[in-house]
Amino acid sequence: MVVRIRLARHGRRNLPFYHIVVANARTARNSKPIEKIGTYNPIPDETGNKFINLNFERAKYWLTVGAQPTETVEKILVKADLIPQAPKPWMEAAKKFKETTN
C-alpha cells in the first residue's frame, strides 16, 4: 500500500482551506484519510502570513515509515525543517548559470 501525505481541500469556492492528511495514494482527494496531521490556509491574513498547523511528531512518524509527500506538502515540510530540500533538475542548471555569469 502506497501512502502519501497530501492536501485535502475544504472551504468554499474562492476561499480554499486544506487539511494535511495521510492517505492511500489510490484514493480520491477528499476521501476518508488514514490520519489528519495538520491544516494549511493558503489565503494570507492582514500581515501577509499563511497559516500552517502541523503535528510534527506524526509527520516525522509517517515520513520514517515511508509515506511520500506530494510536491506542495514537501514545500511545507521543507519550510518546517522536517525534511531537507530535494535537489531538482533545474537547480543544477541555475547553479551553473550563476557561476558563469559571476
Side-chain angles (χ1 to χ4, degrees):
M1 176 166 89
V2 179
V3 177
R4 297 205 68 127
I5 303 174
R6 62 184 181 195
L7 299 176
R9 185 181 165 124
H10 294 280
R12 63 180 178 91
R13 184 177 33 161
N14 296 327
L15 273 176
F17 184 80
Y18 296 95
H19 288 208
I20 303 170
V21 298
V22 178
N24 187 349
R26 295 176 187 236
T27 60
R29 178 188 70 190
N30 288 338
S31 63
K32 185 175 180 183
I34 298 171
E35 183 178 0
K36 177 185 156 196
I37 60 172
T39 58
Y40 169 57
N41 187 0
I43 307 295
D45 63 353
E46 303 83 34
T47 60
N49 296 326
K50 298 179 181 181
F51 289 108
I52 301 170
N53 181 13
L54 185 65
N55 186 340
F56 286 97
E57 291 82 25
R58 296 307 294 167
K60 285 181 189 177
Y61 167 77
W62 283 108
L63 290 169
T64 56
V65 296
Q68 295 294 315
T70 59
E71 287 186 25
T72 307
V73 174
E74 183 180 356
K75 290 177 187 177
I76 292 171
L77 296 176
V78 166
K79 287 183 181 181
D81 290 330
L82 282 176
I83 58 175
Q85 175 74 34
K88 305 286 184 200
W90 54 267
M91 290 176 141
E92 286 295 322
K95 189 176 182 181
K96 289 179 184 176
F97 180 75
K98 270 189 175 179
E99 290 173 357
T100 58
T101 58
N102 289 334

